[in-house]
Amino acid sequence: MSLANTAAEYMLSDALLPDRRGPRLKGLRLELPLDRMVKFVAVGSPLLLMSLAFAQEFSSGSPISCFSPSNFSVRQAAYVDSSCWDSLVHHEQDKPGQYKMKSLWPYKALPYSLLALAMVMYLPVLLWQYAAAPALSSDLLFIISELDKSYNRSIRLVQHMLKIRQKSSDPHVFWDELEKARKERYFEFPLLERYLACKQRSHSLVATYLLRNALLLLFTSATYLYLGHFHLDVFFQEEFSCSIKTKLLSDETHIPDLITCRLTSLSVFQIVSLSSVAIYTLLVPVIVYNLTRLCRWDKRLLSIYEMLPAFDLLSRKMLGCPINDLNVILLFLRANISELISFSWLSVLCVLKDTTSQKHNIDTVVDFMTLLAGLEPTKPKHLTHQVCDEHP
């Protein structure tokens, strides 16, 4: 009998989780994996395309090539290129002697518009980091710590029960005390459950998360409008007619009214425009999916932690509308599942509980570990019959 008790003590000691009194969860993820992917793509792709535009400009030299008159010198031809690039206005003949002008400034503003787009797309990230991440970090630290502590308390409780059973000379006294403790709910530690229930009535985290994704959708729509209104208008404008007869040159008769110029960077402009549309079109379903995850509970995570005493949010049907801070916290608990050491143990116990649920009345980890330690989860039948015989 002592050998069996020693084995049970070793088993319970091994089931205890290591105490975390060192660095407190420095690897906490305060961004969901999909949100991080959206951030890298939404901010990084404009910067990558901007570097492509600058690389093309530095490698090919002048972004335009003007067909100057043959009697122009090299310096005059260079002046024509510089002047036409500075103005970047297409003169299209509307009526005899009248010209309709169209600005081609999106070509010149391409790298800077991409930089502005990257900065705008980073604003929702800054909003989350400064408005929600500090509070979320403290919530996760407390909840992860309490979940692991609650599991350890359950194991220590079974260890204590085993010691009391070994020291108790009368088994009736032990089982009577155990049943009384269960009726009085001594095994429950309701602090965490009440804290999570309070988070159902809080909406600061979920409001910030909704605002972050709404801003991403808004900025994406603004990007579509910008590309459609400005880029599409000049998307196929490879050549344009430039006028340099301004200021001191306005009365020069040997200078033609219009000079034809060609945009050498048109292919890069088209690639950047099409790439931007394709990238943000692919991001929209991901952002919408992130929002839809707030409309349902992660019941698998909750069902596993139902094994802990006083953690019965599901069985008591305490979950209401999922759009609250608790649902956001559950999403981040799932993302930080590697920090929850108790999760793997409870997952195994849940699987074992399902295989033995037809034979034993097992509700919590205390009941299951009591069974593994060699104690019946309920009062043995022979003791019950013995009590009935003594008190007919």
Side-chain angles (χ1 to χ4, degrees):
M1 189 67 180
S2 60
L3 183 60
N5 292 335
T6 303
E9 291 177 1
Y10 286 159
M11 183 269 297
L12 293 173
S13 299
D14 292 340
L16 284 173
L17 304 179
D19 192 8
R20 297 189 182 187
R21 293 185 180 178
R24 299 188 62 195
L25 306 174
K26 291 184 178 180
L28 272 182
R29 297 180 180 90
L30 299 179
E31 276 188 313
L32 298 177
L34 282 179
D35 289 331
R36 187 177 304 173
M37 185 268 290
V38 170
K39 177 186 72 173
F40 285 139
V41 174
V43 178
S45 58
L47 296 177
L48 181 62
L49 294 174
M50 181 187 69
S51 63
L52 173 64
F54 276 125
Q56 192 276 338
E57 182 177 344
F58 292 145
S59 62
S60 63
S62 177
I64 64 173
S65 176
C66 294
F67 302 97
S68 304
S70 58
N71 58 344
F72 275 32
S73 64
V74 176
R75 296 184 62 184
Q76 288 174 327
Y79 170 78
V80 171
D81 289 351
S82 176
S83 177
C84 290
W85 176 249
D86 289 340
S87 62
L88 209 59
V89 175
H90 173 54
H91 294 74
E92 185 177 358
Q93 189 169 4
D94 189 15
K95 295 179 182 180
Q98 295 182 359
Y99 294 95
K100 181 181 178 182
M101 293 185 295
K102 181 174 72 172
S103 177
L104 306 178
W105 66 267
Y107 285 104
K108 187 185 298 186
L110 179 63
Y112 310 103
S113 61
L114 290 171
L115 178 60
L117 177 60
M119 294 173 63
V120 167
M121 286 298 180
Y122 195 67
L123 291 179
V125 179
L126 290 178
L127 172 69
W128 179 258
Q129 288 181 351
Y130 288 99
L136 177 64
S137 177
S138 61
D139 286 336
L140 290 176
L141 285 173
F142 172 74
I143 293 172
I144 290 175
S145 176
E146 282 301 311
L147 286 174
D148 289 346
K149 286 179 180 178
S150 181
Y151 170 84
N152 271 354
R153 283 195 293 263
S154 300
I155 301 300
R156 291 193 179 100
L157 181 61
V158 178
Q159 288 179 323
H160 184 66
M161 290 167 54
L162 186 62
K163 291 179 181 179
I164 293 179
R165 179 66 183 87
Q166 294 172 7
K167 296 178 181 179
S168 176
S169 57
D170 188 358
H172 296 283
V173 176
F174 170 76
W175 286 110
D176 290 341
E177 290 293 330
L178 184 58
E179 290 179 359
K180 179 182 177 182
R182 283 175 173 159
K183 289 180 181 179
E184 299 293 334
R185 305 182 71 178
Y186 292 159
F187 297 163
E188 299 185 2
F189 310 97
L191 173 63
L192 179 59
E193 184 185 80
R194 292 178 182 177
Y195 181 78
L196 295 179
C198 290
K199 284 298 175 180
Q200 287 194 85
R201 299 187 292 271
S202 175
H203 298 87
S204 59
L205 288 176
V206 72
T208 308
Y209 190 78
L210 288 173
L211 180 59
R212 171 183 177 168
N213 287 276
L215 286 176
L216 284 173
L217 291 176
L218 177 63
F219 294 153
T220 303
S221 302
T223 303
Y224 287 148
L225 291 176
Y226 172 78
L227 293 174
H229 183 70
F230 294 106
H231 283 217
L232 188 61
D233 189 38
V234 297
F235 192 77
F236 300 102
Q237 190 78 43
E238 184 175 8
E239 294 184 353
F240 67 100
S241 299
C242 172
S243 175
I244 61 172
K245 295 185 69 173
T246 57
K247 299 181 180 179
L248 297 177
L249 300 178
S250 58
D251 297 329
E252 296 292 333
T253 57
H254 68 283
I255 297 177
D257 293 335
L258 296 176
I259 296 177
T260 303
C261 297
R262 187 174 66 88
L263 291 164
T264 59
S265 59
L266 177 65
S267 59
V268 174
F269 182 83
Q270 292 174 336
I271 290 173
V272 168
S273 301
L274 293 176
S275 300
S276 300
V277 172
I279 289 171
Y280 288 107
T281 301
L282 293 176
L283 282 184
V284 168
V286 180
I287 299 173
V288 173
Y289 174 74
N290 286 340
L291 292 174
T292 57
R293 287 193 298 177
L294 296 176
C295 299
R296 62 182 184 276
W297 293 102
D298 187 0
K299 292 187 178 181
R300 182 176 177 274
L301 181 65
L302 290 175
S303 63
I304 289 177
Y305 277 95
E306 288 268 306
M307 287 283 289
L308 293 179
F311 195 88
D312 45 1
L313 295 174
L314 280 179
S315 59
R316 291 189 187 181
K317 298 181 179 180
M318 298 174 63
L319 300 178
C321 176
I323 304 179
N324 51 51
D325 286 357
L326 177 59
N327 200 9
V328 176
I329 291 174
L330 291 178
L331 290 176
F332 280 90
L333 282 177
R334 172 67 67 180
N336 291 277
I337 205 70
S338 59
E339 301 291 341
L340 275 168
I341 306 178
S342 58
F343 181 79
S344 57
W345 279 90
L346 290 175
S347 299
V348 173
L349 293 181
C350 281
V351 174
L352 296 177
K353 184 189 77 169
D354 293 337
T355 61
T356 59
S357 59
Q358 301 297 328
K359 302 177 182 179
H360 301 281
N361 183 22
I362 300 174
D363 295 324
T364 65
V365 65
V366 175
D367 299 327
F368 195 87
M369 298 307 290
T370 300
L371 177 64
L372 292 181
L375 297 176
E376 294 287 339
T378 56
K379 191 173 184 178
K381 293 183 178 180
H382 69 277
L383 293 179
T384 305
H385 293 325
Q386 185 177 353
V387 172
C388 293
D389 295 337
E390 293 177 358
H391 304 281

